[in-house]
Each structure stands twice: as structure tokens, then as C-alpha cells.
Amino acid sequence: MKGLKLLATGRALPSQVLSNEDMSRFVETSDEWIGGRTGIRQRYFCAEGENATTLAIAAAKRAMERSGAAPEEIGCVVVATSSGEYVMPSTASTVHGALGLPEDIPTLDVGAACAGFLYAVEVARGLLLGNGKRCALVIGTEQMSSVLDMTDRTTCVLFGDGAGAAVFALDEEREYVSVQGTRSDPAIRSGCPGITRQVPMTMDGQAVFRFAAAIIPKCVQDLFAKGGKTMDDVDWVVCHQANERILDASIRRLGGKDKFYKNIDRYANTSAASIPIVLDEMNEQGLLKEGQRVVMVGFGGGLTWAGVMLCI
Ligand code: UT7
């Protein structure tokens, strides 16, 4: 089946932590509103000198150190981001240089918003199948604070900055099932960081909520149908962390409450970084064990969605 074994993970957060109380310095809001509607209690924002590139490099170094993989074994670097420091050069090519990886491998950024990390996993697997190398470095990194309008309370309280990285190894024996989809809709939109003041993020929150609450169960059911599995066969469900109420609505539809990991309270919505940050937290706590079946689901701007079911 040529699946992916998860060798190691890493994460990096910026130095500034802002509580919900801190956000009320920028807009009329409260801990009660933000916490009650989303489950968010705090978020990290980049300080001077920190950005999606520096976070990606730090997360990637941790994952590489823990993986035991030699630089020569890395067959591609794929970075998911919608708030990278530059459009060109790609964040992936800068990470590649910072880690001293060999020249004969592809590096690229993937833009699929909050579904980006799982698109990146899919792309990385395809690249490994093509070039015969063993390992892939896959990263989700975001400086969402650079695209936020800090006077718009309907968006600025919801997002945070951070990066997560994973090193995967192609493995003949492991199962791998994936689905992706797109519903073209500008319900979430933001400009490039460099021109952010002209094109800040906008979002039709309720439309995205309805989309997300329907697409997570659909994505999981599609993975189960494709892979011939049910929730009983799964050890963990790792969803993009956008809103605790979206996760709870999905749990009501799918069951498996204790299999869903949540950490949105501490990070807010870190877009493409949220899934690898969850994986790294779970690894740190010893929750992820070799051979477990993990379902991952991402959804967001585009609108895009993606699901991956694999045995780690
Ligand atoms: O990664 C994927 C991207 N995004 C998402 O998944 C987001 C999906 N959507 C959501 O999570 C929710 O729709 C939100 C959290 C964004 C909003 O929650 P809601 O329950 O849908 O609230 P609402 O938009 O219906 O707004 C209710 C009220 C409004 O006031 P009025 O018109 O009832 O007087 C808003 O102006 O809450 C007001 N409001 C706020 N009040 C305090 C909106 N933002 C805030 C705020 N603080 N930050």
C-alpha cells in the first residue's frame, strides 16, 4: 500500500502569548465571548524577528533531530502555509538551506489554507514515490497575525501563529488512505503579508462554521468507506483546530469522543500548522504509538478539505 510511517514531529511557537483579555485591548470583546463561542483562551503572535520562516525552521530542526533520519535520506521538503514571509523564494526552499539538505531534492510550498498540511502530506508521498528517496519533511507554518485586521473582532481573536513539522518515511507495509475536495467559495479571504494592510483577512464565520460542521463527518466517512474501516478501528482523530464547537458537532455525528484531541484553547486557529502541532503535543505526551491508526482532517479557505488515514 506504500503508506507513511511517522518518524518524528516538532513544533515551534513565537515568544508573545496573548490572552483573550489582551485581545480586548484591540477590539471590543471578552474572554467570555471568545471562550464560549470557540474554546480559545490564548494565542501566540510573532514578535519582531519572528515569522513563518523562522518558526518553520525551528520546528523542522526539532523533527529532524528526533527522527534519526540523515539529511541524505530526505527526499522532499513540502511546506503548507498561507502566510509565508515571501511568495518567492518559497518557505520550503529556505528551510532546505537552513537545514543543509542535499541539492537533488524538490522543495515547494502548498497553499490550501487550513487543509494545507494534509495536502502537503499527499504531495510529499507522491514525490517520494517518484524519486525513490525514503523520507519527507512536511511542515505547516503560519504567521496569521500578519494577515489579520486587528480592528475586526470577527476575525482577529480567532487565529494564532505557530509551526509544526513531521518527518515521514515511505513504508511498503503501511496503509494509507486519503481524500481531498474543493468547493470554490471566497468565504475566507486574505492578502499576502506584504500587502496585508490593503487586503486583510475577511471571513463569513457562520458560512464557514456550517461548511466545517458538515465536511468533517463527510471526510471521515469517505475515508472509512475508501479504507473499509469504522470508528472502532481508529485510535485517534486529529482535526484542524478552528473552533471547539465545530469539533463537538462532529463528535456528535461520528461518535468516538475520546479519540478526538483538542488543543485550540492554547493556540487558537493556527491554520496549516494546527494538525502538526497537535501531532507533536500528542507525541510529547506519549499518546502516539507505532501501529496506531490515525485519521486526520483539515478544512478551510478555498474552501478546501482533506483527510488522511494512516497507520503511524
Ligand atoms: O479554519 C477555518 C476557518 N474558520 C472557521 O472555522 C470559523 C468558523 N466560524 C466560527 O467559528 C464562528 O462562526 C465564529 C466564532 C466566527 C462566530 O461565532 P457565531 O456564533 O457564528 O457568532 P456570530 O457571527 O453569529 O456573531 C454573534 C454576535 C454578533 O453580534 P450581534 O450582531 O448579534 O449583535 C457579532 O457582532 O457576536 C458578535 N461578535 C463578537 N462579540 C464579541 C463577533 N465577534 C465578536 C467578538 N467579541 N470577538
Side-chain angles (χ1 to χ4, degrees):
M1 206 167 315
K2 295 203 173 160
L4 295 171
K5 177 179 178 180
L6 180 63
L7 295 185
T9 55
R11 69 180 186 279
L13 285 317
S15 51
Q16 294 189 87
V17 187
L18 279 85
S19 67
N20 290 344
E21 197 63 39
D22 294 328
M23 296 308 286
S24 65
R25 292 202 313 264
F26 303 107
V27 287
E28 198 183 323
T29 191
S30 64
D31 180 48
E32 193 189 357
W33 192 95
I34 303 170
R37 301 268 173 156
T38 68
I40 296 166
R41 296 290 168 191
Q42 64 170 42
R43 74 284 294 139
Y44 293 83
F45 275 1
C46 287
E48 192 70 31
E50 296 171 328
N51 54 51
T53 310
T54 63
L55 295 173
I57 291 169
K61 281 186 174 166
R62 279 173 203 144
M64 279 297 290
E65 277 162 22
R66 292 168 181 165
S67 74
E72 309 76 63
E73 291 183 286
I74 299 296
C76 60
V77 181
V78 187
V79 173
T81 186
S82 297
S83 54
E85 187 185 8
Y86 300 107
V87 173
M88 186 171 64
S90 68
T91 307
S93 64
T94 308
V95 171
H96 169 275
L99 268 64
L101 297 174
E103 280 193 356
D104 63 341
I105 62 168
T107 60
L108 75 158
D109 290 356
V110 169
C114 308
F117 181 75
L118 297 183
Y119 275 72
V121 169
E122 182 77 6
V123 169
R125 178 171 173 270
L127 289 168
L128 292 184
L129 287 170
N131 69 15
K133 295 243 187 185
R134 191 173 83 92
C135 300
L137 175 59
V138 187
I139 302 165
T141 187
E142 301 285 8
Q143 186 185 0
M144 297 305 289
S145 60
S146 71
V147 297
L148 291 174
D149 175 355
M150 293 303 287
T151 65
D152 176 6
R153 70 178 181 172
T154 69
T155 52
C156 75
V157 302
L158 303 175
F159 294 89
D161 301 341
V167 179
F168 291 100
L170 200 61
D171 186 317
E172 296 275 345
E173 306 296 315
R174 271 162 218 265
E175 88 182 25
Y176 179 91
V177 181
S178 65
V179 294
Q180 298 86 27
T182 304
R183 183 179 304 162
S184 182
D185 184 335
I188 316 175
R189 209 197 309 241
S190 78
C192 299
I195 55 166
T196 183
R197 295 301 158 228
Q198 288 85 44
V199 196
M201 169 175 280
T202 56
M203 179 171 69
D204 179 346
Q206 289 193 1
V208 177
F209 192 102
R210 283 193 299 275
F211 159 74
I215 215 67
I216 295 174
K218 175 188 156 39
C219 207
V220 173
Q221 305 284 14
D222 287 353
L223 287 171
F224 287 168
K226 213 169 163 182
K229 304 290 179 221
T230 70
M231 190 57 93
D232 291 341
D233 302 311
V234 169
D235 295 288
W236 295 108
V237 182
V238 174
C239 279
H240 166 52
Q241 308 282 306
N243 183 323
E244 192 173 11
R245 285 162 53 220
I246 294 174
L247 294 179
D248 290 341
S250 306
I251 292 167
R252 283 194 292 277
R253 294 271 295 278
L254 291 164
K257 183 173 184 286
D258 297 337
K259 299 178 180 186
F260 283 72
Y261 189 92
K262 298 177 187 171
N263 67 6
I264 188 166
D265 57 330
R266 279 160 288 134
Y267 302 97
N269 180 343
T270 56
S271 193
S274 83
I275 289 176
I277 288 175
V278 165
L279 291 176
D280 190 52
E281 270 205 351
M282 292 179 76
N283 249 340
E284 204 169 69
Q285 293 167 34
L287 296 175
L288 295 181
K289 299 190 174 64
E290 182 162 357
Q292 286 181 333
R293 185 173 289 110
V294 179
V295 163
M296 298 183 274
V297 179
F299 55 89
L303 300 165
T304 54
W305 66 91
V308 169
M309 179 166 68
L310 44 70
C311 282
I312 55 174

